Amino acid sequence: MNAVFSWKLRPVAGAVFLSAIFSCVGMAEMVPIVNQSFEILPAGGLSLGCGGACAYSQGVAIPGWTTTGSDFGQWIIGGYHGNPGATDGTVIAYSNGGTISQDVGNAVAGVTYTLSVDLLHRNDASFAGTMSLLVGGLPVAGILTGTDPGPGFWGTYSETYTALGGDDSKTLTIRLNSSGTQGDYDNVQLDATPEPGTMLLVASALTGFGLLHRKRKN
C-alpha cells in the first residue's frame, strides 16, 4: 500500500512543481545594490550644514559606491530652497559634474535588466541628473523612459536592456552622472527578468530528470 501510494504522489508533486516554475516565467528579481538609497553614511557622517535640518558631505566617499571628480556626496535636504526630501529614507546622493557608480555583478545573456532611479529637478537649479546601465564599461543601447518632472519635484527614470550573447559574463555597472550642475539621486533599483525560453528549458530538464528517476525506480 505504501509503495503504491508513494508512486501516485510523484506525478502530483511534479505537476505542482512545474506549475510553480511556469508561474515564475517573466517574474523579475532584484539585483542586490549596496547602499541603494544612500542611507549608509560615511564614517564622519554629514558634517557640513546649510541651515535648518539641511546637512551634507562633500568629496567624501559614498559607502558602496565609486566616485569621480571632487564635488559629490550625500545630502539631507531639509527643505533647503524649497526642495523636497528624499523619496526613500532621508538621505540622497549628489554630484556636480562627476560620476557615482557601482559594479553589481556580471551580465547574463538573455536576461532583461531594468534600472530605475529617482532624479530630482532642484527648485533652485537646472535639471542635470542622468542615469545609465553599463556592460563591460560601455553604456548599453537600452529603452529609456522618464521626463523632466519640473522644478521642485522628483521623477523616476528607467532603462531596460536585454543582454546579448556578447554581453555574457561582462561586468554590469550602474552609473549616475550630472552634466555640470548638480544631479541628485535616490532609490536606485535594478531588476533582472530571465527570458521565458530559459525558464522553459530548465523546466523541461527537470521534467526529463523526473521521468528518468521514475524509470529507474520501476
Side-chain angles (χ1 to χ4, degrees), residues 205-216:
L206 290 171
T207 303
F209 178 80
L211 290 173
L212 180 61
H213 179 73
R214 268 185 58 188
K215 286 183 179 178
R216 285 180 176 173

Side-chain angles (χ1 to χ4, degrees), residues 2-119:
N2 289 340
V4 174
F5 183 69
S6 174
W7 182 89
K8 286 184 177 180
L9 273 179
R10 288 194 194 107
V12 174
V16 172
F17 181 66
L18 289 176
S19 176
I21 290 177
F22 292 138
S23 68
C24 290
V25 172
M27 290 184 65
E29 293 185 359
M30 293 186 67
V31 176
I33 300 171
V34 179
N35 204 10
Q36 59 93 21
S37 284
F38 309 105
E39 298 299 305
I40 303 172
L41 301 180
L46 306 181
S47 59
L48 303 175
C50 42
C54 180
Y56 66 101
S57 62
Q58 186 173 30
V60 179
I62 300 173
W65 296 84
T66 300
T67 53
T68 65
S70 59
D71 195 355
F72 60 85
Q74 290 161 271
W75 190 23
I76 296 177
I77 300 176
Y80 181 74
H81 282 204
N83 287 297
T87 60
D88 186 20
T90 60
V91 184
I92 68 173
Y94 75 88
S95 68
N96 288 294
T99 64
I100 300 171
S101 63
Q102 184 175 149
D103 294 340
V104 291
N106 296 324
V108 178
V111 171
T112 297
Y113 297 96
T114 301
L115 171 66
S116 66
V117 182
D118 291 343
L119 302 178

Side-chain angles (χ1 to χ4, degrees), residues 133-141 170-171 173 175:
L133 185 65
L134 284 66
V135 173
L138 299 175
V140 302
K170 291 183 178 179
T171 302
T173 304
R175 184 172 69 186

